[in-house]
Amino acid sequence: QVQLVESGGGLVQAGGSLRLSCSASGRSFITYAMGWFRQAPGKERESVATISWTGGFTYYADSVKGRFTISRDNAKNTVYLQMNSLKPEDTAVYYCAADPRGRGKYEYWGQGTQVTVSS
């Protein structure tokens, strides 16, 4: 199975920035759509951003639009989430996930990385 490992989380002040990385194994990574999700304690997991396998199409949740940017470097088997103007409500565990067929079914998930934003 594809293995995904997130990194880059941490504790930041409101208004600060973080860049999350998701490193993936597997030669087929370049054909996978990828997504970032987050889950706060006691809340449902929500989609944050997605990107097509070519990187040409992206989607953002309204709550992060204009502040977060998803990108990928297929040569490095890595997906990024640049997070700017962070707010306390962005505090959550962030997960990357892979959608092998690009149809919205995410079959592979990382272990997550904690992002905490203080006021």
Side-chain angles (χ1 to χ4, degrees), residues 31 56 89 91-92 99 104 111:
T31 69
E89 50 263 46
T91 295
D99 173 9
Q111 293 298 309

Side-chain angles (χ1 to χ4, degrees), residues 2-6 21-25 28-37 47-55 57-59 70-74 77-80 95-110:
V2 173
Q3 302 293 317
L4 304 175
V5 180
E6 304 95 336
S21 298
C22 175
S23 297
S25 65
S28 296
F29 171 79
I30 62 172
T31 69
Y32 292 179
M34 300 292 294
W36 284 98
F37 297 78
S47 175
V48 176
T50 59
I51 188 168
S52 64
W53 69 273
T54 64
F57 301 93
T58 57
Y59 160 83
I70 188 171
S71 62
R72 67 191 299 162
D73 185 341
N74 288 342
N77 283 355
T78 301
V79 179
Y80 305 96
Y95 301 89
C96 67
D99 173 9
R101 291 178 288 276
R103 296 186 176 186
K105 183 179 181 180
Y106 291 89
E107 299 182 4
Y108 305 103
W109 295 80

Side-chain angles (χ1 to χ4, degrees), residues 14 17-19 33-34 38 41 63 66-67 77 87 98-99 101-102 112-113:
S17 298
L18 284 174
R19 188 179 73 162
M34 300 292 294
R38 68 186 182 187
S63 59
R67 299 188 297 121
N77 283 355
K87 305 174 181 179
D99 173 9
R101 291 178 288 276
T113 185

